[in-house]
Amino acid sequence: MGDSTDTEKTAVKTYVPTYQKEEWQSHADRLDMSQSEFVRTMVQAGRRGFESGSTEPDSAAPDPGGNGLETQVLELLSADTYSWDELLEAVADDIESRLDETLEELQSANRIRYSGRHGGYTTVDGGGDGD
């Protein structure tokens, strides 16, 4: 299991109450971590608590001072040389893809909708409609 697919990253999504997301973000900020890194690290720590004495060899070590963008840039540069514009395009494409996937999932779950009348996305309950 030493090939490059062992460290390939993929998105995991969850839905939590707003107050919980804000608490997690605040805690992540105090630890100088991205929210994604904070959640991944906390889940791994929690799993170790349930699986006494077990470690997951395929799991990357926590990087409290790092962030997802740093990891992504390092992965890109480990394979090739990129100009500033090429790096910007590579990371921007990633966020566009993630935003597109998230919007599709939220629409499928009937949590948001596109409002042509208001020129953008809004929650289904109308909270973002301005009505």
Side-chain angles (χ1 to χ4, degrees):
M1 293 191 105
D3 64 15
S4 64
T5 59
D6 289 345
T7 59
E8 185 176 321
K9 296 193 184 276
T10 186
V12 175
K13 295 177 178 65
T14 186
Y15 298 97
V16 297
T18 302
Y19 77 89
Q20 188 172 37
K21 181 179 189 257
E22 291 169 352
E23 287 176 12
W24 289 358
Q25 184 62 60
S26 176
H27 195 174
D29 290 345
R30 285 193 309 273
L31 295 172
D32 195 26
M33 298 171 81
S34 70
Q35 192 165 22
S36 294
E37 184 67 16
F38 173 80
V39 171
R40 187 188 67 76
T41 301
M42 293 301 127
V43 168
Q44 289 304 108
R47 291 188 67 217
R48 279 192 288 278
F50 286 109
E51 300 168 1
S52 64
S54 87
T55 59
E56 296 186 17
D58 293 339
S59 178
D63 183 13
N67 61 48
L69 181 59
E70 179 179 307
T71 301
Q72 187 177 5
V73 168
L74 290 171
E75 287 175 357
L76 287 166
L77 294 176
S78 71
D80 205 352
T81 301
Y82 288 79
S83 69
W84 168 266
D85 290 335
E86 291 168 333
L87 282 170
L88 185 58
E89 183 179 338
V91 297
D93 284 347
D94 182 55
I95 191 67
E96 284 182 31
S97 296
R98 290 188 299 163
L99 177 59
D100 188 50
E101 289 172 16
T102 299
L103 290 173
E104 286 178 19
E105 289 174 7
L106 289 170
Q107 287 179 91
S108 293
N110 202 32
R111 296 186 66 199
I112 66 169
R113 64 183 169 83
Y114 183 81
S115 171
R117 179 175 149 206
H118 293 98
Y121 292 92
T122 185
T123 57
V124 169
D125 66 10
D129 277 347
D131 290 337

